[in-house]
Short mmCIF file of all heavy atoms in Angstrom, two decimals:
data_model
loop_
_atom_site.label_atom_id
_atom_site.label_comp_id
_atom_site.label_asym_id
_atom_site.label_seq_id
_atom_site.Cartn_x
_atom_site.Cartn_y
_atom_site.Cartn_z
N MET Y 1 105.47 93.09 90.11
CA MET Y 1 105.46 94.49 90.46
C MET Y 1 105.09 95.32 89.23
O MET Y 1 105.59 95.06 88.15
CB MET Y 1 106.82 94.90 91.00
CG MET Y 1 106.77 96.12 91.87
SD MET Y 1 108.37 96.51 92.62
CE MET Y 1 108.32 95.44 94.02
N ASN Y 2 104.25 96.29 89.39
CA ASN Y 2 103.83 97.15 88.29
C ASN Y 2 104.67 98.41 88.28
O ASN Y 2 105.12 98.89 89.31
CB ASN Y 2 102.36 97.54 88.45
CG ASN Y 2 101.46 96.34 88.37
OD1 ASN Y 2 101.72 95.40 87.63
ND2 ASN Y 2 100.39 96.34 89.15
N ALA Y 3 104.83 98.96 87.09
CA ALA Y 3 105.59 100.20 86.96
C ALA Y 3 104.62 101.37 86.83
O ALA Y 3 103.57 101.27 86.22
CB ALA Y 3 106.49 100.14 85.74
N ILE Y 4 105.00 102.47 87.43
CA ILE Y 4 104.29 103.74 87.30
C ILE Y 4 105.33 104.77 86.89
O ILE Y 4 106.43 104.78 87.42
CB ILE Y 4 103.61 104.14 88.62
CG1 ILE Y 4 102.49 103.17 88.95
CG2 ILE Y 4 103.07 105.56 88.54
CD1 ILE Y 4 101.74 103.50 90.22
N ASP Y 5 104.98 105.62 85.93
CA ASP Y 5 105.88 106.71 85.54
C ASP Y 5 105.73 107.87 86.50
O ASP Y 5 104.62 108.35 86.74
CB ASP Y 5 105.56 107.21 84.14
CG ASP Y 5 106.09 106.32 83.03
OD1 ASP Y 5 106.97 105.50 83.32
OD2 ASP Y 5 105.63 106.46 81.90
N LEU Y 6 106.85 108.29 87.07
CA LEU Y 6 106.90 109.51 87.86
C LEU Y 6 107.41 110.59 86.91
O LEU Y 6 108.53 110.51 86.41
CB LEU Y 6 107.85 109.34 89.04
CG LEU Y 6 108.20 110.59 89.85
CD1 LEU Y 6 106.94 111.26 90.39
CD2 LEU Y 6 109.15 110.23 90.97
N ILE Y 7 106.55 111.53 86.59
CA ILE Y 7 106.87 112.56 85.61
C ILE Y 7 107.11 113.87 86.36
O ILE Y 7 106.20 114.40 87.02
CB ILE Y 7 105.73 112.73 84.60
CG1 ILE Y 7 105.47 111.38 83.93
CG2 ILE Y 7 106.08 113.80 83.57
CD1 ILE Y 7 104.13 111.26 83.28
N ILE Y 8 108.34 114.35 86.29
CA ILE Y 8 108.75 115.56 87.01
C ILE Y 8 108.93 116.69 86.00
O ILE Y 8 109.65 116.52 85.02
CB ILE Y 8 110.08 115.34 87.75
CG1 ILE Y 8 110.03 114.08 88.62
CG2 ILE Y 8 110.43 116.56 88.60
CD1 ILE Y 8 111.38 113.68 89.16
N THR Y 9 108.30 117.81 86.25
CA THR Y 9 108.56 119.00 85.46
C THR Y 9 109.67 119.75 86.17
O THR Y 9 109.54 120.12 87.34
CB THR Y 9 107.31 119.89 85.32
OG1 THR Y 9 106.27 119.12 84.72
CG2 THR Y 9 107.60 121.12 84.47
N VAL Y 10 110.77 119.96 85.44
CA VAL Y 10 111.93 120.64 86.02
C VAL Y 10 112.25 121.88 85.18
O VAL Y 10 112.03 121.91 83.97
CB VAL Y 10 113.16 119.71 86.08
CG1 VAL Y 10 112.92 118.56 87.04
CG2 VAL Y 10 113.55 119.17 84.72
N CYS Y 11 112.75 122.90 85.87
CA CYS Y 11 113.13 124.15 85.20
C CYS Y 11 114.58 124.46 85.55
O CYS Y 11 115.04 124.18 86.67
CB CYS Y 11 112.22 125.30 85.64
SG CYS Y 11 110.49 125.05 85.20
N ALA Y 12 115.27 125.07 84.59
CA ALA Y 12 116.67 125.44 84.81
C ALA Y 12 116.74 126.51 85.89
O ALA Y 12 115.97 127.46 85.90
CB ALA Y 12 117.28 125.94 83.51
N VAL Y 13 117.71 126.36 86.81
CA VAL Y 13 117.88 127.31 87.89
C VAL Y 13 118.20 128.70 87.34
O VAL Y 13 117.65 129.71 87.80
CB VAL Y 13 118.97 126.83 88.87
CG1 VAL Y 13 119.33 127.90 89.88
CG2 VAL Y 13 118.54 125.55 89.58
N LEU Y 14 119.07 128.76 86.34
CA LEU Y 14 119.49 130.06 85.79
C LEU Y 14 118.54 130.61 84.74
O LEU Y 14 118.68 131.76 84.32
CB LEU Y 14 120.89 129.94 85.21
CG LEU Y 14 121.99 129.58 86.21
CD1 LEU Y 14 123.35 129.46 85.52
CD2 LEU Y 14 122.05 130.62 87.33
N SER Y 15 117.57 129.83 84.32
CA SER Y 15 116.60 130.28 83.33
C SER Y 15 115.26 129.62 83.65
O SER Y 15 114.88 128.62 83.03
CB SER Y 15 117.06 129.90 81.91
OG SER Y 15 116.11 130.32 80.95
N PRO Y 16 114.53 130.15 84.62
CA PRO Y 16 113.31 129.51 85.11
C PRO Y 16 112.21 129.28 84.07
O PRO Y 16 111.30 128.51 84.30
CB PRO Y 16 112.82 130.47 86.20
CG PRO Y 16 114.01 131.27 86.59
CD PRO Y 16 114.87 131.35 85.37
N THR Y 17 112.31 129.92 82.91
CA THR Y 17 111.33 129.69 81.87
C THR Y 17 111.70 128.53 80.97
O THR Y 17 110.93 128.13 80.10
CB THR Y 17 111.11 130.95 81.01
OG1 THR Y 17 112.35 131.32 80.43
CG2 THR Y 17 110.58 132.10 81.87
N THR Y 18 112.90 127.98 81.16
CA THR Y 18 113.35 126.81 80.41
C THR Y 18 113.01 125.57 81.22
O THR Y 18 113.67 125.25 82.19
CB THR Y 18 114.87 126.88 80.14
OG1 THR Y 18 115.15 128.08 79.45
CG2 THR Y 18 115.34 125.69 79.34
N CYS Y 19 111.94 124.90 80.81
CA CYS Y 19 111.44 123.75 81.55
C CYS Y 19 111.28 122.54 80.65
O CYS Y 19 111.13 122.67 79.43
CB CYS Y 19 110.09 124.07 82.20
SG CYS Y 19 110.15 125.48 83.33
N GLU Y 20 111.33 121.35 81.26
CA GLU Y 20 111.14 120.12 80.53
C GLU Y 20 110.62 119.05 81.49
O GLU Y 20 110.66 119.24 82.71
CB GLU Y 20 112.42 119.65 79.86
CG GLU Y 20 113.54 119.35 80.82
CD GLU Y 20 114.84 118.99 80.11
OE1 GLU Y 20 115.27 119.74 79.20
OE2 GLU Y 20 115.42 117.95 80.47
N GLU Y 21 110.12 117.97 80.93
CA GLU Y 21 109.65 116.86 81.73
C GLU Y 21 110.68 115.76 81.76
O GLU Y 21 111.29 115.44 80.74
CB GLU Y 21 108.33 116.29 81.19
CG GLU Y 21 107.15 117.18 81.43
CD GLU Y 21 105.84 116.53 81.05
OE1 GLU Y 21 105.84 115.52 80.31
OE2 GLU Y 21 104.79 117.03 81.48
N GLN Y 22 110.87 115.19 82.93
CA GLN Y 22 111.74 114.03 83.12
C GLN Y 22 110.86 112.87 83.56
O GLN Y 22 110.01 113.04 84.44
CB GLN Y 22 112.81 114.32 84.17
CG GLN Y 22 113.82 115.36 83.76
CD GLN Y 22 114.69 114.88 82.62
OE1 GLN Y 22 115.10 113.71 82.58
NE2 GLN Y 22 114.98 115.79 81.71
N HIS Y 23 111.05 111.72 82.95
CA HIS Y 23 110.27 110.54 83.28
C HIS Y 23 111.14 109.57 84.05
O HIS Y 23 112.19 109.16 83.57
CB HIS Y 23 109.74 109.85 82.00
CG HIS Y 23 108.72 110.67 81.29
ND1 HIS Y 23 107.41 110.29 81.22
CD2 HIS Y 23 108.80 111.85 80.63
CE1 HIS Y 23 106.73 111.19 80.55
NE2 HIS Y 23 107.56 112.13 80.17
N LEU Y 24 110.71 109.20 85.25
CA LEU Y 24 111.39 108.21 86.05
C LEU Y 24 110.43 107.05 86.24
O LEU Y 24 109.23 107.23 86.39
CB LEU Y 24 111.76 108.79 87.42
CG LEU Y 24 112.57 110.09 87.42
CD1 LEU Y 24 112.79 110.56 88.84
CD2 LEU Y 24 113.89 109.89 86.72
N VAL Y 25 110.96 105.85 86.24
CA VAL Y 25 110.12 104.68 86.48
C VAL Y 25 110.04 104.45 87.98
O VAL Y 25 111.06 104.31 88.65
CB VAL Y 25 110.68 103.43 85.76
CG1 VAL Y 25 109.84 102.21 86.10
CG2 VAL Y 25 110.70 103.66 84.26
N PHE Y 26 108.85 104.45 88.47
CA PHE Y 26 108.58 104.25 89.89
C PHE Y 26 107.93 102.89 90.00
O PHE Y 26 106.74 102.74 89.76
CB PHE Y 26 107.65 105.37 90.38
CG PHE Y 26 107.47 105.45 91.85
CD1 PHE Y 26 108.41 106.10 92.64
CD2 PHE Y 26 106.35 104.91 92.46
CE1 PHE Y 26 108.24 106.21 94.01
CE2 PHE Y 26 106.18 105.02 93.83
CZ PHE Y 26 107.12 105.66 94.60
N SER Y 27 108.73 101.88 90.28
CA SER Y 27 108.23 100.50 90.33
C SER Y 27 107.61 100.22 91.69
O SER Y 27 108.31 100.20 92.69
CB SER Y 27 109.35 99.51 90.06
OG SER Y 27 109.83 99.67 88.75
N SER Y 28 106.33 100.03 91.67
CA SER Y 28 105.65 99.79 92.93
C SER Y 28 104.23 99.32 92.67
O SER Y 28 103.66 99.60 91.62
CB SER Y 28 105.64 101.08 93.75
OG SER Y 28 105.12 100.84 95.02
N ASN Y 29 103.66 98.67 93.63
CA ASN Y 29 102.26 98.25 93.53
C ASN Y 29 101.38 99.29 94.21
O ASN Y 29 100.69 99.00 95.19
CB ASN Y 29 102.06 96.87 94.17
CG ASN Y 29 102.63 95.77 93.32
OD1 ASN Y 29 102.55 95.84 92.10
ND2 ASN Y 29 103.19 94.76 93.93
N VAL Y 30 101.44 100.51 93.74
CA VAL Y 30 100.66 101.59 94.32
C VAL Y 30 99.86 102.27 93.23
O VAL Y 30 100.15 102.13 92.04
CB VAL Y 30 101.56 102.63 95.05
CG1 VAL Y 30 102.30 102.00 96.21
CG2 VAL Y 30 102.52 103.28 94.08
N SER Y 31 98.89 103.03 93.63
CA SER Y 31 98.10 103.81 92.68
C SER Y 31 98.86 105.07 92.31
O SER Y 31 99.82 105.46 93.00
CB SER Y 31 96.77 104.20 93.33
OG SER Y 31 96.99 105.16 94.35
N PRO Y 32 98.47 105.74 91.23
CA PRO Y 32 99.12 107.02 90.90
C PRO Y 32 99.05 108.03 92.05
O PRO Y 32 100.02 108.75 92.30
CB PRO Y 32 98.34 107.50 89.69
CG PRO Y 32 97.91 106.22 89.02
CD PRO Y 32 97.55 105.31 90.18
N ARG Y 33 97.98 108.04 92.78
CA ARG Y 33 97.85 108.99 93.91
C ARG Y 33 98.88 108.64 95.00
O ARG Y 33 99.53 109.53 95.56
CB ARG Y 33 96.45 108.94 94.47
CG ARG Y 33 96.30 109.81 95.70
CD ARG Y 33 94.89 109.81 96.21
NE ARG Y 33 94.43 111.18 96.08
CZ ARG Y 33 93.21 111.58 96.19
NH1 ARG Y 33 92.26 110.70 96.40
NH2 ARG Y 33 92.89 112.84 96.08
N GLN Y 34 99.03 107.37 95.30
CA GLN Y 34 100.02 106.94 96.30
C GLN Y 34 101.44 107.23 95.81
O GLN Y 34 102.30 107.60 96.60
CB GLN Y 34 99.85 105.46 96.62
CG GLN Y 34 98.57 105.15 97.36
CD GLN Y 34 98.28 103.66 97.42
OE1 GLN Y 34 98.48 102.95 96.44
NE2 GLN Y 34 97.80 103.19 98.57
N CYS Y 35 101.64 107.07 94.52
CA CYS Y 35 102.95 107.38 93.92
C CYS Y 35 103.31 108.84 94.15
O CYS Y 35 104.43 109.16 94.56
CB CYS Y 35 102.92 107.05 92.43
SG CYS Y 35 104.30 107.68 91.47
N VAL Y 36 102.36 109.73 93.91
CA VAL Y 36 102.60 111.17 94.09
C VAL Y 36 102.99 111.46 95.54
O VAL Y 36 103.91 112.25 95.81
CB VAL Y 36 101.37 111.98 93.68
CG1 VAL Y 36 101.49 113.44 94.13
CG2 VAL Y 36 101.17 111.93 92.18
N MET Y 37 102.32 110.81 96.46
CA MET Y 37 102.60 111.04 97.88
C MET Y 37 103.98 110.49 98.30
O MET Y 37 104.63 111.06 99.18
CB MET Y 37 101.51 110.40 98.74
CG MET Y 37 100.13 110.97 98.50
SD MET Y 37 100.02 112.74 98.79
CE MET Y 37 100.12 112.77 100.55
N ALA Y 38 104.43 109.43 97.64
CA ALA Y 38 105.71 108.81 98.00
C ALA Y 38 106.87 109.29 97.15
O ALA Y 38 108.01 108.86 97.35
CB ALA Y 38 105.57 107.29 97.87
N ALA Y 39 106.64 110.18 96.22
CA ALA Y 39 107.65 110.56 95.23
C ALA Y 39 108.70 111.52 95.74
O ALA Y 39 109.79 111.59 95.15
CB ALA Y 39 106.95 111.17 94.02
N GLN Y 40 108.46 112.25 96.80
CA GLN Y 40 109.38 113.32 97.21
C GLN Y 40 110.82 112.88 97.41
O GLN Y 40 111.73 113.59 96.96
CB GLN Y 40 108.83 114.03 98.42
CG GLN Y 40 107.58 114.83 98.09
CD GLN Y 40 107.01 115.58 99.27
OE1 GLN Y 40 107.53 115.52 100.37
NE2 GLN Y 40 105.93 116.29 99.03
N PRO Y 41 111.10 111.73 98.03
CA PRO Y 41 112.52 111.34 98.15
C PRO Y 41 113.20 111.09 96.81
O PRO Y 41 114.37 111.41 96.64
CB PRO Y 41 112.47 110.06 99.00
CG PRO Y 41 111.15 110.09 99.68
CD PRO Y 41 110.22 110.84 98.78
N TYR Y 42 112.44 110.57 95.84
CA TYR Y 42 113.01 110.31 94.52
C TYR Y 42 113.26 111.61 93.77
O TYR Y 42 114.26 111.77 93.07
CB TYR Y 42 112.08 109.40 93.71
CG TYR Y 42 111.90 108.07 94.38
CD1 TYR Y 42 110.78 107.81 95.19
CD2 TYR Y 42 112.83 107.05 94.24
CE1 TYR Y 42 110.62 106.61 95.84
CE2 TYR Y 42 112.68 105.83 94.89
CZ TYR Y 42 111.57 105.62 95.68
OH TYR Y 42 111.42 104.42 96.33
N ILE Y 43 112.35 112.55 93.93
CA ILE Y 43 112.52 113.87 93.32
C ILE Y 43 113.73 114.58 93.94
O ILE Y 43 114.56 115.15 93.23
CB ILE Y 43 111.25 114.71 93.48
CG1 ILE Y 43 110.11 114.06 92.71
CG2 ILE Y 43 111.47 116.15 93.02
CD1 ILE Y 43 108.73 114.59 93.05
N ALA Y 44 113.85 114.51 95.25
CA ALA Y 44 115.00 115.13 95.94
C ALA Y 44 116.32 114.51 95.46
O ALA Y 44 117.29 115.23 95.24
CB ALA Y 44 114.85 114.97 97.45
N GLN Y 45 116.32 113.20 95.26
CA GLN Y 45 117.53 112.55 94.77
C GLN Y 45 117.87 113.03 93.36
O GLN Y 45 119.02 113.34 93.07
CB GLN Y 45 117.35 111.02 94.77
CG GLN Y 45 118.56 110.29 94.24
CD GLN Y 45 118.38 108.78 94.21
OE1 GLN Y 45 117.42 108.25 94.77
NE2 GLN Y 45 119.30 108.09 93.57
N TRP Y 46 116.86 113.11 92.49
CA TRP Y 46 117.08 113.55 91.11
C TRP Y 46 117.62 114.97 91.10
O TRP Y 46 118.60 115.26 90.41
CB TRP Y 46 115.80 113.45 90.27
CG TRP Y 46 116.06 113.64 88.82
CD1 TRP Y 46 116.27 112.67 87.90
CD2 TRP Y 46 116.15 114.90 88.12
NE1 TRP Y 46 116.49 113.24 86.65
CE2 TRP Y 46 116.43 114.61 86.77
CE3 TRP Y 46 116.03 116.22 88.49
CZ2 TRP Y 46 116.58 115.59 85.81
CZ3 TRP Y 46 116.19 117.21 87.53
CH2 TRP Y 46 116.46 116.90 86.21
N VAL Y 47 117.02 115.86 91.86
CA VAL Y 47 117.46 117.26 91.92
C VAL Y 47 118.88 117.33 92.49
O VAL Y 47 119.70 118.11 92.02
CB VAL Y 47 116.46 118.12 92.72
CG1 VAL Y 47 117.03 119.50 93.01
CG2 VAL Y 47 115.14 118.23 91.98
N GLY Y 48 119.19 116.49 93.49
CA GLY Y 48 120.54 116.46 94.04
C GLY Y 48 121.58 116.04 93.02
O GLY Y 48 122.71 116.50 93.05
N GLU Y 49 121.18 115.17 92.09
CA GLU Y 49 122.09 114.69 91.05
C GLU Y 49 122.13 115.64 89.85
O GLU Y 49 123.00 115.50 88.99
CB GLU Y 49 121.66 113.30 90.59
CG GLU Y 49 121.81 112.24 91.67
CD GLU Y 49 121.17 110.92 91.31
OE1 GLU Y 49 120.50 110.82 90.26
OE2 GLU Y 49 121.31 109.97 92.11
N HIS Y 50 121.19 116.58 89.77
CA HIS Y 50 121.10 117.53 88.66
C HIS Y 50 120.94 118.94 89.23
O HIS Y 50 119.85 119.53 89.16
CB HIS Y 50 119.92 117.18 87.75
CG HIS Y 50 120.00 115.80 87.18
ND1 HIS Y 50 119.53 114.68 87.86
CD2 HIS Y 50 120.51 115.35 86.01
CE1 HIS Y 50 119.74 113.61 87.13
NE2 HIS Y 50 120.34 113.98 86.01
N PRO Y 51 122.00 119.50 89.82
CA PRO Y 51 121.88 120.77 90.55
C PRO Y 51 121.52 121.99 89.69
O PRO Y 51 121.16 123.02 90.25
CB PRO Y 51 123.26 120.95 91.20
CG PRO Y 51 124.17 120.12 90.37
CD PRO Y 51 123.34 118.97 89.86
N LYS Y 52 121.59 121.89 88.39
CA LYS Y 52 121.23 123.02 87.54
C LYS Y 52 119.73 123.08 87.26
O LYS Y 52 119.25 123.98 86.58
CB LYS Y 52 121.99 122.95 86.20
CG LYS Y 52 123.49 123.13 86.40
CD LYS Y 52 124.23 123.08 85.08
CE LYS Y 52 125.72 123.25 85.33
NZ LYS Y 52 126.47 123.24 84.08
N TRP Y 53 118.98 122.13 87.83
CA TRP Y 53 117.54 122.05 87.63
C TRP Y 53 116.81 122.08 88.96
O TRP Y 53 117.34 121.66 89.97
CB TRP Y 53 117.18 120.75 86.88
CG TRP Y 53 117.76 120.71 85.52
CD1 TRP Y 53 118.97 120.18 85.16
CD2 TRP Y 53 117.19 121.21 84.32
NE1 TRP Y 53 119.18 120.32 83.82
CE2 TRP Y 53 118.09 120.95 83.26
CE3 TRP Y 53 115.99 121.85 84.03
CZ2 TRP Y 53 117.83 121.32 81.94
CZ3 TRP Y 53 115.73 122.21 82.72
CH2 TRP Y 53 116.65 121.95 81.69
N THR Y 54 115.59 122.56 88.92
CA THR Y 54 114.74 122.53 90.11
C THR Y 54 113.39 121.94 89.72
O THR Y 54 112.87 122.21 88.63
CB THR Y 54 114.57 123.94 90.72
OG1 THR Y 54 113.85 123.84 91.94
CG2 THR Y 54 113.87 124.90 89.81
N ALA Y 55 112.83 121.12 90.58
CA ALA Y 55 111.53 120.50 90.31
C ALA Y 55 110.42 121.49 90.65
O ALA Y 55 110.45 122.11 91.72
CB ALA Y 55 111.37 119.23 91.13
N VAL Y 56 109.47 121.66 89.76
CA VAL Y 56 108.38 122.60 90.00
C VAL Y 56 107.03 121.90 90.18
O VAL Y 56 106.14 122.44 90.82
CB VAL Y 56 108.29 123.68 88.90
CG1 VAL Y 56 109.53 124.56 88.93
CG2 VAL Y 56 108.11 123.07 87.53
N LYS Y 57 106.89 120.71 89.60
CA LYS Y 57 105.67 119.93 89.81
C LYS Y 57 105.93 118.50 89.37
O LYS Y 57 106.91 118.20 88.68
CB LYS Y 57 104.46 120.52 89.09
CG LYS Y 57 104.55 120.53 87.58
CD LYS Y 57 103.30 121.17 86.98
CE LYS Y 57 103.42 121.23 85.47
NZ LYS Y 57 102.22 121.76 84.84
N TRP Y 58 105.05 117.61 89.78
CA TRP Y 58 105.18 116.21 89.40
C TRP Y 58 103.83 115.55 89.41
O TRP Y 58 102.89 116.02 90.00
CB TRP Y 58 106.17 115.48 90.29
CG TRP Y 58 105.81 115.47 91.75
CD1 TRP Y 58 105.09 114.50 92.40
CD2 TRP Y 58 106.15 116.42 92.73
NE1 TRP Y 58 104.96 114.81 93.73
CE2 TRP Y 58 105.61 116.00 93.97
CE3 TRP Y 58 106.87 117.62 92.71
CZ2 TRP Y 58 105.76 116.72 95.15
CZ3 TRP Y 58 107.02 118.32 93.88
CH2 TRP Y 58 106.48 117.87 95.07
N ARG Y 59 103.79 114.42 88.69
CA ARG Y 59 102.58 113.59 88.64
C ARG Y 59 103.00 112.16 88.36
O ARG Y 59 104.13 111.90 87.96
CB ARG Y 59 101.60 114.09 87.58
CG ARG Y 59 102.09 113.93 86.16
CD ARG Y 59 101.13 114.56 85.16
NE ARG Y 59 101.47 114.24 83.78
CZ ARG Y 59 102.40 114.83 83.07
NH1 ARG Y 59 103.14 115.80 83.61
NH2 ARG Y 59 102.62 114.48 81.82
N CYS Y 60 102.08 111.26 88.59
CA CYS Y 60 102.33 109.85 88.32
C CYS Y 60 101.25 109.32 87.37
O CYS Y 60 100.08 109.70 87.49
CB CYS Y 60 102.31 109.03 89.60
SG CYS Y 60 103.65 109.44 90.74
N GLU Y 61 101.66 108.51 86.44
CA GLU Y 61 100.74 107.91 85.47
C GLU Y 61 101.18 106.50 85.18
O GLU Y 61 102.36 106.17 85.27
CB GLU Y 61 100.75 108.68 84.14
CG GLU Y 61 100.30 110.10 84.22
CD GLU Y 61 100.40 110.81 82.87
OE1 GLU Y 61 100.97 110.23 81.92
OE2 GLU Y 61 99.92 111.94 82.79
N TYR Y 62 100.23 105.68 84.79
CA TYR Y 62 100.59 104.36 84.29
C TYR Y 62 101.28 104.55 82.93
O TYR Y 62 100.90 105.42 82.15
CB TYR Y 62 99.37 103.46 84.16
CG TYR Y 62 98.77 103.11 85.50
CD1 TYR Y 62 97.52 103.59 85.88
CD2 TYR Y 62 99.46 102.31 86.41
CE1 TYR Y 62 96.98 103.29 87.11
CE2 TYR Y 62 98.94 102.00 87.64
CZ TYR Y 62 97.69 102.49 87.99
OH TYR Y 62 97.16 102.19 89.21
N PRO Y 63 102.30 103.74 82.63
CA PRO Y 63 103.02 103.89 81.36
C PRO Y 63 102.08 103.70 80.17
O PRO Y 63 101.16 102.90 80.22
CB PRO Y 63 104.06 102.79 81.39
CG PRO Y 63 104.21 102.41 82.83
CD PRO Y 63 102.86 102.69 83.46
N ARG Y 64 102.36 104.43 79.13
CA ARG Y 64 101.61 104.32 77.89
C ARG Y 64 102.53 103.67 76.88
O ARG Y 64 103.30 104.33 76.21
CB ARG Y 64 101.16 105.70 77.41
CG ARG Y 64 100.22 106.35 78.37
CD ARG Y 64 99.75 107.66 77.83
NE ARG Y 64 99.07 108.39 78.89
CZ ARG Y 64 99.13 109.68 79.06
NH1 ARG Y 64 99.82 110.42 78.22
NH2 ARG Y 64 98.50 110.25 80.05
N TYR Y 65 102.45 102.36 76.82
CA TYR Y 65 103.38 101.62 75.96
C TYR Y 65 103.19 101.90 74.48
O TYR Y 65 104.07 101.69 73.68
CB TYR Y 65 103.26 100.14 76.25
CG TYR Y 65 103.69 99.79 77.66
CD1 TYR Y 65 102.79 99.46 78.63
CD2 TYR Y 65 105.05 99.84 78.00
CE1 TYR Y 65 103.18 99.15 79.92
CE2 TYR Y 65 105.46 99.56 79.29
CZ TYR Y 65 104.52 99.20 80.24
OH TYR Y 65 104.93 98.93 81.52
N HIS Y 66 102.02 102.39 74.10
CA HIS Y 66 101.76 102.66 72.69
C HIS Y 66 102.38 103.98 72.23
O HIS Y 66 102.48 104.23 71.04
CB HIS Y 66 100.26 102.64 72.39
CG HIS Y 66 99.48 103.60 73.23
ND1 HIS Y 66 99.45 104.95 72.97
CD2 HIS Y 66 98.72 103.41 74.33
CE1 HIS Y 66 98.69 105.55 73.89
NE2 HIS Y 66 98.24 104.64 74.72
N ASP Y 67 102.79 104.87 73.16
CA ASP Y 67 103.42 106.12 72.79
C ASP Y 67 104.81 105.86 72.27
O ASP Y 67 105.48 104.92 72.66
CB ASP Y 67 103.51 107.06 73.99
CG ASP Y 67 102.15 107.64 74.38
OD1 ASP Y 67 101.19 107.44 73.61
OD2 ASP Y 67 102.07 108.27 75.44
N LYS Y 68 105.28 106.75 71.40
CA LYS Y 68 106.65 106.64 70.91
C LYS Y 68 107.61 107.07 72.00
O LYS Y 68 107.36 108.01 72.73
CB LYS Y 68 106.84 107.54 69.68
CG LYS Y 68 106.09 107.05 68.48
CD LYS Y 68 106.35 107.93 67.29
CE LYS Y 68 105.56 107.44 66.09
NZ LYS Y 68 105.75 108.29 64.93
N ALA Y 69 108.71 106.38 72.09
CA ALA Y 69 109.73 106.71 73.10
C ALA Y 69 110.62 107.82 72.64
O ALA Y 69 110.81 108.08 71.51
CB ALA Y 69 110.55 105.47 73.41
#
């Protein structure tokens, strides 16, 4: 199974200009486009677990192992 990064841009509910990216590993044999289409339940779960944040956009990319963690 291949991993795809689901990258969610989230903003603070009480300060909508305070935003950051959250990286979730979306393990699946799908393309980035298919990942984006299937991501909504995972985003909803993340937002449900982090009620002070709201998701404003998301994308999927193959992991870049050469980037610093």
Side-chain angles (χ1 to χ4, degrees):
M1 202 175 277
N2 296 325
I4 293 181
D5 282 343
L6 171 57
I7 304 160
I8 309 169
T9 302
V10 295
C11 297
V13 171
L14 297 178
S15 180
T17 59
T18 303
C19 301
E20 61 184 51
E21 287 188 343
Q22 292 293 321
H23 292 249
L24 306 176
V25 176
F26 191 82
S27 296
S28 186
N29 286 324
V30 298
S31 70
R33 176 177 244 168
Q34 291 168 319
C35 167
V36 168
M37 299 301 288
Q40 291 181 0
Y42 299 97
I43 295 166
Q45 179 182 348
W46 190 94
V47 169
E49 294 170 355
H50 302 86
K52 294 181 180 181
W53 296 91
T54 186
V56 294
K57 64 181 178 177
W58 61 92
R59 68 185 189 280
C60 294
E61 297 178 352
Y62 292 112
R64 296 183 192 143
Y65 295 107
H66 56 78
D67 287 350
K68 291 182 181 178

